[in-house]
Structures are given as C-alpha cells and as structure tokens.
Amino acid sequence: MTENVLDVAAEEGRVGNAVETATASSIRADIWLRIGMVVVVCGIFIWLNWRVIEFVQEALRLDIARMNATPPLPPEHRLVTSQVVMALIGATVVQTGIGFIAITSYLFPRRGG
C-alpha cells in the first residue's frame, strides 16, 4: 500500500513538472510569435509607405517635367495638388494609427472575464 502511495506521488511530481515545462514552452513560443507579428506588420507598414513615397516622388517629377515643357502646363492641370498632398498625409496618419492599434491589441489582449 505504501509503495502505491509513493508511486502515485512520484507520478504526480513528474506530471506536474511536465505541465510546468509545457506552460513555460507555450509562454516562450507566444512571446516569439508576438515579436514575429510586430516585425512582420512593421515591415509591411514600412514597405507600403516607401512605395507611396516613391509614387509621390515620381508624380512630382512628372509634374515638374510637364510644367517645364513648352507650352507650360497651367496650374489647374497639375498632378500633385494640395488636395492630393493632404489626402496622402491623412491616409498615412490613419494607416499608422490602425497599424499601432493592431499591434497593441495583439501584444496586449483584453482579459476575458
């Protein structure tokens, strides 16, 4: 009878250690997945904004070339107007906010309860 109690106690100890090890591994994996998520989202964000900047630079180059052409381009036919610049600034601000909200809500999820 005493051997059975000792065997059960030893088995409970092994199971408890396995659960603690699995929990620690799960936490480590979750941390690395969260870091990976941040890196991926930030990389996409940086790449997309870089493409927008390149697009605006090319549009400005074309605009300048058209203005320097003979006959010169009238101002109302420009490609990049103040409305275009404001739209790009506004879209970038919104995109940044949504990106940070997505990252923050993933890194710090709401507790159920």
Side-chain angles (χ1 to χ4, degrees):
M1 181 81 167
T2 332
E3 287 180 15
N4 287 342
V5 171
L6 292 176
D7 289 342
V8 169
E11 186 64 26
E12 286 177 352
R14 275 182 267 155
V15 169
N17 288 338
V19 169
E20 288 174 14
T21 302
T23 302
S25 295
S26 174
I27 291 170
R28 274 193 298 278
D30 188 54
I31 289 170
W32 282 109
L33 286 173
R34 289 173 191 271
I35 290 170
M37 173 71 171
V38 169
V39 169
V40 167
V41 169
C42 287
I44 291 170
F45 176 76
I46 290 168
W47 181 78
L48 286 173
N49 281 308
W50 188 263
R51 298 296 297 159
V52 169
I53 290 169
E54 285 179 344
F55 172 75
V56 171
Q57 286 176 337
E58 185 63 26
L60 284 171
R61 273 190 223 103
L62 289 172
D63 225 13
I64 291 170
R66 290 177 67 193
M67 286 188 312
N68 290 333
T70 307
L73 182 71
E76 61 270 6
H77 294 292
R78 292 191 61 191
L79 293 174
V80 181
T81 63
S82 60
Q83 291 88 1
V84 171
V85 173
M86 292 305 292
L88 288 171
I89 291 171
T92 303
V93 169
V94 169
Q95 180 187 14
T96 303
I98 290 172
F100 284 125
I101 288 171
I103 291 171
T104 304
S105 63
Y106 183 78
L107 288 176
F108 307 106
R110 293 186 178 151
R111 304 267 185 224

